[in-house]
């Protein structure tokens, strides 16, 4: 009898422990995923800077956004069956906006391991590399990448951007000039307060029409080929999975290539 009684008591204790575990986990299990929250809300909140041509461009007069990123995220919202709301962001606070729930996702951002420490990324859907931009008056002064790594060269970058990090690494001997959000390094070049800035091959394609005085320096090759993706809260795996599946489907259907062609973007394919 004792073994039977002991077994019954053991089973009872185990059942009580299992009930306690289930009850302790129930709040987490009951919590909605970000995906379900977006569907229930009926709105996809997208953080975007509005200052990266031709990816995201904001008209200050109308607060209207357009560009590659805008077409991409509008399509994502459509396939979710919700509307899209663009939340103004800047590069310095782009990651914190994801972490603090100001928006559900961002537009395109370069993959960077400092950002990846605190925020998640979707799978990449495009690739870029960086080229140096100078005032047309200085076009013939720089023939090699090393020419920019000099104490007399002033390199300008917007605070919080990947370009700012790369220029410190590539040109440690140059003078580094940080441009606050709301302005652009191109203004510094046009006014000749800076000698050079880095931009992606994506943005370089539209520079000539926007700023005739600015030119891509005639140096060999591009620096730091980098995938771009959307920033997502890193603890929202259901939402990350959905976005990644969506990207895979759209890549298969040629969607990203069509939108890139629409905006005249040169795709540096590293797949």
């Amino acid at each position: 009898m004792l073994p039977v009684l002991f077994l019954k008591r053991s089973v009872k204790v185990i059942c009580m422990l299992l009930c306690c575990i289930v009850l302790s986990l129930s709040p987490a299990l009951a919590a909605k995923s970000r995906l379900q929250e977006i569907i229930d809300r009926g709105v996809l909140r997208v953080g975007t800077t509005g200052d990266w041509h031709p990816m995201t461009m904001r008209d200050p007069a109308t607060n209207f956004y357009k560009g590659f990123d805008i077409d991409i995220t509008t399509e994502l919202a459509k396939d979710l069956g919700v509307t899209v709301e663009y939340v103004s962001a800047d590069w310095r606070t782009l990651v914190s906006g994801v972490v603090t729930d100001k928006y559900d996702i961002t537009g395109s951002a370069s993959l960077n391991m400092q950002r990846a420490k605190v925020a998640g990324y979707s799978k990449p859907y495009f690739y870029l590399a960086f080229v140096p931009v100078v005032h047309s008056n200085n076009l013939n002064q720089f023939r090699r990448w090393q020419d920019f790594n000099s104490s007399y060269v002033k390199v300008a970058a917007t605070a919080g951007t990947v370009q700012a990090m790369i220029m410190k690494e590539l040109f440690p001997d140059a003078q580094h000039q940080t441009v606050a959000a709301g302005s652009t390094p191109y203004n510094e070049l046009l006014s000749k307060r800076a000698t050079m800035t880095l931009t992606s091959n994506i943005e370089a394609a539209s520079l000539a029409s926007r700023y005739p005085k600015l030119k891509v320096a005639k140096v060999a090759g591009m620096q730091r080929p980098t995938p771009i993706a959307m920033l997502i809260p890193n603890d929202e795996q259901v939402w990350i999975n959905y976005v990644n599946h969506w990207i895979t489907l759209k890549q298969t259907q040629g969607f990203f290539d069509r939108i890139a062609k629409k905006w005249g973007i040169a795709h540096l394919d590293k797949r």
Side-chain angles (χ1 to χ4, degrees):
M1 293 296 293
L2 285 175
V4 174
L5 182 61
F6 177 76
L7 180 61
K8 287 182 178 179
R9 287 180 177 176
S10 298
V11 171
K12 186 176 181 180
V13 170
I14 291 171
C15 289
M16 290 176 65
L17 288 172
L18 287 173
C19 287
C20 291
I21 292 170
V22 170
L23 288 173
S24 67
L25 291 176
S26 59
L29 294 174
K32 288 183 181 179
S33 69
R34 177 64 62 101
L35 173 61
Q36 192 59 51
E37 286 180 3
I38 293 166
I39 293 171
D40 291 347
R41 188 195 309 138
V43 177
L44 173 66
R45 301 170 302 167
V46 179
T48 189
T49 62
D51 64 352
W52 185 13
H53 296 247
M55 307 299 280
T56 170
M57 299 168 281
R58 174 180 170 269
D59 183 344
T62 62
N63 203 35
F64 179 77
Y65 289 88
K66 64 180 181 179
F68 176 91
D69 281 359
I70 308 309
D71 288 352
I72 297 301
T73 48
T74 297
E75 183 78 1
L76 174 59
K78 186 184 78 172
D79 288 345
L80 280 163
V82 301
T83 59
V84 62
E85 174 189 333
Y86 292 105
V87 181
S88 179
D90 63 61
W91 293 108
R92 187 172 50 85
T93 60
L94 190 66
V95 172
S96 65
V98 171
V99 175
T100 58
D101 194 29
K102 289 184 178 179
Y103 29 82
D104 307 302
I105 198 168
T106 71
S108 298
S110 300
L111 182 58
N112 174 270
M113 299 318 296
Q114 292 300 316
R115 290 172 175 170
K117 289 179 180 178
V118 292
Y121 275 100
S122 71
K123 64 176 290 187
Y125 47 85
F126 223 75
Y127 296 81
L128 55 78
F130 296 96
V131 295
V133 177
V134 298
H135 194 284
S136 57
N137 291 352
N138 298 327
L139 185 60
N140 295 323
Q141 293 185 26
F142 303 96
R143 296 294 184 179
R144 304 172 304 162
W145 281 97
Q146 301 95 304
D147 293 342
F148 296 108
N149 189 31
S150 172
S151 60
Y152 74 87
V153 174
K154 295 180 180 179
V155 295
T158 302
T161 59
V162 170
Q163 288 96 314
M165 301 178 199
I166 292 175
M167 287 202 290
K168 287 181 180 179
E169 295 173 9
L170 293 179
F171 316 117
D173 295 334
Q175 300 177 49
H176 295 270
Q177 187 172 334
T178 301
V179 178
S183 185
T184 70
Y186 307 129
N187 290 335
E188 302 303 302
L189 290 181
L190 290 168
S191 63
K192 299 182 181 179
R193 291 189 295 266
T195 315
M196 184 271 282
T197 188
L198 282 182
T199 189
S200 65
N201 61 310
I202 289 175
E203 189 167 28
S206 65
L207 274 176
S209 59
R210 291 162 48 217
Y211 305 107
K213 290 289 185 180
L214 299 184
K215 304 293 181 183
V216 176
K218 298 176 181 178
V219 297
M222 295 183 282
Q223 292 286 341
R224 304 293 175 88
T226 305
I228 61 172
M230 292 177 270
L231 286 161
I232 306 175
N234 61 9
D235 57 350
E236 296 286 351
Q237 194 58 53
V238 172
W239 177 220
I240 292 172
N241 289 345
Y242 179 89
V243 173
N244 285 344
H245 294 326
W246 181 84
I247 290 171
T248 297
L249 178 62
K250 293 298 181 178
Q251 284 176 327
T252 303
Q253 296 172 344
F255 171 71
F256 291 99
D257 291 335
R258 290 195 299 273
I259 301 302
K261 184 177 181 180
K262 170 185 173 181
W263 291 101
I265 296 173
H267 186 11
L268 182 69
D269 197 340
K270 289 290 179 181
R271 286 173 289 178

